[in-house]
Amino acid sequence: MPKRFRVALVTGASRGVGYNVGKEVVKRMPLTTTYMTSRVNVDGLQSILGMQLGAAARDRAKFVRMDVRDLEAVNELKEKIVKKFGGLDILVNNAGIYHVPDKSLSVFPKQVQEILGINYWGTKNVIGSFFPHFKPHSRIVNITSNLGHIMAVKNMEDELKEALRLRFNSCNNEFELDGLLLKFQRDAIQGTWRKEGWPSCGYTVSKMAINAYTRILQRQFDEDDREDLVVNAVYPCTKHSKIDQSDMKILDDEEGAKFVFYMAAVKPNSHGVFPRGAVIWNNSRVVDNRDGYTYNNKHQQQLPLEIEQV
């Protein structure tokens, strides 16, 4: 089998699980050039990676300052990658932000705007820009969270939780999902979000949206002429200092990143054994919010995954 030279892009890769995902790709896929982006200053990160993995690995990593909200910057990087490599093989959308919810009318709308701007609309900027340029057998991973689970919603009656779940599950295309998110933003600005059945956590809504978007996107991929395009939403179960994870089995950033890497590097044409358009937690358990599924992941059996060795 001939060697395949590939290109990967990891957003939100200046620290934490994002940095470690990029590092894992660089370390384990020597024929791959890996772009690692962040909205903050990336100066010095290439040297640090070189000290950790060696000079050869450093040369395969390209750190770029890019805010996913800036469509012009996203398109500029896309043009560079497409011109040099012809397209993209691996995309990990890790760029995100969390704010501890503040229910005051002067703060909550601003939180919602920033959170959705990065977590949802920013993710869509990247995927939308690269969509025509995903190569056959491309793998896309959207990072999600335990807070994207309906059971994580606090201070809401069960019937309202069910209504919220159905809101997202009933979205059959991007247009409907975008409209739902725009309504949430309007309700936040008008101070009516609780009356309209929304939780008081913009981050939760953003990750519910990412889960729904992943499902919708896989349908588009399945109808595409390109072979074997796969997207999944993955929760790496890594520590977050501001989020309650008391009932989760928490991993360090390096361990969580290894699982994200597995999901991004699975062998082509793994039909029937590899999830497609699903929400997956680090125990390799496929969870689907259209059906019932287990919330606590402390005692689940891992699924075997075949990883492409390149």
Side-chain angles (χ1 to χ4, degrees):
M1 184 176 181
K3 293 182 178 180
R4 298 176 61 216
F5 291 90
R6 303 201 290 179
V7 59
L9 170 61
V10 183
T11 68
S14 62
R15 60 188 177 88
V17 68
Y19 175 83
N20 281 282
V21 170
K23 179 180 174 182
E24 198 72 14
V25 177
V26 172
K27 179 172 65 175
R28 298 188 58 179
M29 301 179 72
L31 300 182
T32 298
T33 298
T34 304
Y35 286 82
M36 301 168 68
T37 75
S38 174
R39 66 180 180 272
V40 301
N41 195 342
V42 296
D43 291 347
L45 291 178
Q46 195 158 354
S47 296
I48 293 173
L49 188 69
M51 288 187 288
Q52 294 173 333
L53 299 180
R58 180 189 61 204
D59 293 339
R60 298 194 304 273
K62 312 295 182 183
F63 285 90
V64 179
R65 186 169 186 175
M66 184 190 79
D67 190 326
V68 296
R69 294 170 294 186
D70 185 346
L71 186 55
E72 184 177 346
V74 173
N75 284 333
E76 182 179 337
L77 179 60
K78 178 259 296 184
E79 292 296 336
K80 180 184 296 185
I81 290 175
V82 170
K83 182 178 180 180
K84 188 170 184 178
F85 299 97
L88 191 64
D89 297 282
I90 292 173
L91 171 61
V92 178
N93 286 303
N94 179 65
I97 192 170
Y98 174 85
H99 290 304
V100 176
D102 185 327
K103 302 175 186 178
S104 65
L105 295 180
S106 62
V107 176
F108 187 69
K110 295 177 182 178
Q111 289 187 336
V112 168
Q113 181 177 3
E114 183 172 29
I115 290 170
L116 292 185
I118 296 174
N119 298 7
Y120 180 68
W121 302 112
T123 296
K124 290 198 65 182
N125 281 345
V126 177
I127 290 179
S129 182
F130 280 95
F131 191 99
H133 308 288
F134 289 128
K135 297 178 183 179
H137 310 294
S138 287
R139 296 291 182 261
I140 297 91
V141 174
N142 296 326
I143 299 299
T144 188
S145 168
N146 63 313
L147 292 188
H149 190 310
I150 193 65
M151 290 182 65
V153 178
K154 298 180 179 179
N155 302 317
M156 181 179 281
E157 297 176 357
D158 288 344
E159 57 266 29
L160 292 178
K161 288 185 180 182
E162 178 63 14
L164 180 62
R165 184 182 71 86
L166 291 175
R167 272 183 173 181
F168 283 100
N169 288 348
S170 63
C171 292
N172 294 312
N173 53 57
E174 287 187 53
F175 179 78
E176 294 177 354
L177 184 58
D178 288 352
L180 187 62
L181 271 293
L182 288 172
K183 173 175 170 49
F184 175 51
Q185 289 182 264
R186 287 195 302 269
D187 291 342
I189 292 171
Q190 295 170 2
T192 60
W193 74 89
R194 283 169 290 195
K195 180 182 176 181
E196 294 295 326
W198 297 104
S200 294
C201 180
Y203 186 83
T204 287
V205 175
S206 76
K207 292 305 181 181
M208 288 181 172
I210 285 297
N211 294 347
Y213 176 52
T214 299
R215 166 176 54 83
I216 292 168
L217 187 60
Q218 185 62 59
R219 290 179 183 174
Q220 296 179 31
F221 286 163
D222 290 343
E223 296 172 357
D224 198 283
D225 291 336
R226 289 165 292 182
E227 184 181 3
D228 191 36
L229 302 181
V230 177
V231 59
N232 287 295
V234 175
Y235 173 41
C237 299
T238 51
K239 176 67 177 176
H240 195 297
S241 61
K242 299 179 181 179
I243 295 177
D244 181 9
Q245 300 170 304
S246 57
D247 53 359
M248 307 298 298
K249 180 181 178 182
I250 300 302
L251 303 178
D252 61 35
D253 288 336
E254 290 188 359
E255 285 301 312
K258 287 178 182 178
F259 181 71
V260 176
F261 167 78
Y262 293 155
M263 300 304 298
V266 70
K267 284 184 177 181
N269 295 315
S270 299
H271 296 284
V273 297
F274 188 67
R276 305 168 70 86
V279 180
I280 306 163
W281 286 4
N282 192 287
N283 56 1
S284 304
R285 178 177 176 81
V286 178
V287 297
D288 187 336
N289 60 6
R290 288 167 291 174
D291 306 302
Y293 60 88
T294 304
Y295 178 55
N296 189 330
N297 77 337
K298 285 188 175 180
H299 306 290
Q300 302 293 344
Q301 184 177 4
Q302 287 193 337
L303 301 174
L305 297 174
E306 289 186 286
I307 307 304
E308 183 171 15
Q309 301 297 322
V310 293

